[in-house]
Amino acid sequence: VDQYKKLHSNTHCPVCGNELDTAHRHAEMENIKQKLAVILTTIKQLQQEIEPLNQQVQAAAAKYQEARAKQDEANQNYQNIVQEISRGEQQ
């Protein structure tokens, strides 16, 4: 994008250093546009691939939270049983 902007104001090509005439400027601008189009297409494809992956991550995180809550409940129940046994032994 910076090179594209430089082509408008510079008298020399930022790519090869030669003096810019109209045809050279146009050719360089088209080259940059083509490269940018490939990059934008790739970004769009990657964004489409990311969405299902984000959904999978969210589903896995929800399952983790559910399992963690069950584990916490089991640990609390265990602690309660240990305390009851301890109280029973003290009596």
Side-chain angles (χ1 to χ4, degrees):
V1 175
D2 287 337
Q3 286 183 345
Y4 190 84
K5 290 178 183 178
K6 288 179 184 177
L7 285 172
H8 283 289
S9 59
N10 286 355
T11 57
H12 288 80
C13 177
V15 177
C16 67
N18 290 331
E19 190 171 335
L20 281 172
D21 60 12
T22 304
H24 188 165
R25 178 176 280 119
H26 181 71
E28 290 299 330
M29 291 174 84
E30 287 302 313
N31 184 30
I32 291 171
K33 285 180 186 178
Q34 288 174 0
K35 289 178 182 178
L36 185 58
V38 170
I39 291 168
L40 293 174
T41 300
T42 302
I43 288 172
K44 186 175 182 178
Q45 290 171 345
L46 290 173
Q47 287 173 333
Q48 290 173 349
E49 291 175 19
I50 286 173
E51 184 58 34
L53 295 174
N54 281 337
Q55 291 173 357
Q56 289 176 4
V57 167
Q58 289 174 353
K63 282 185 178 182
Y64 169 78
Q65 291 298 329
E66 185 179 318
R68 181 64 190 225
K70 287 180 182 179
Q71 180 187 17
D72 289 345
E73 183 181 353
N75 284 339
Q76 185 61 46
N77 290 338
Y78 171 76
Q79 291 299 323
N80 291 341
I81 292 169
V82 167
Q83 287 176 357
E84 287 179 30
I85 290 172
S86 179
R87 279 189 228 129
E89 289 176 348
Q90 291 176 355
Q91 291 179 353

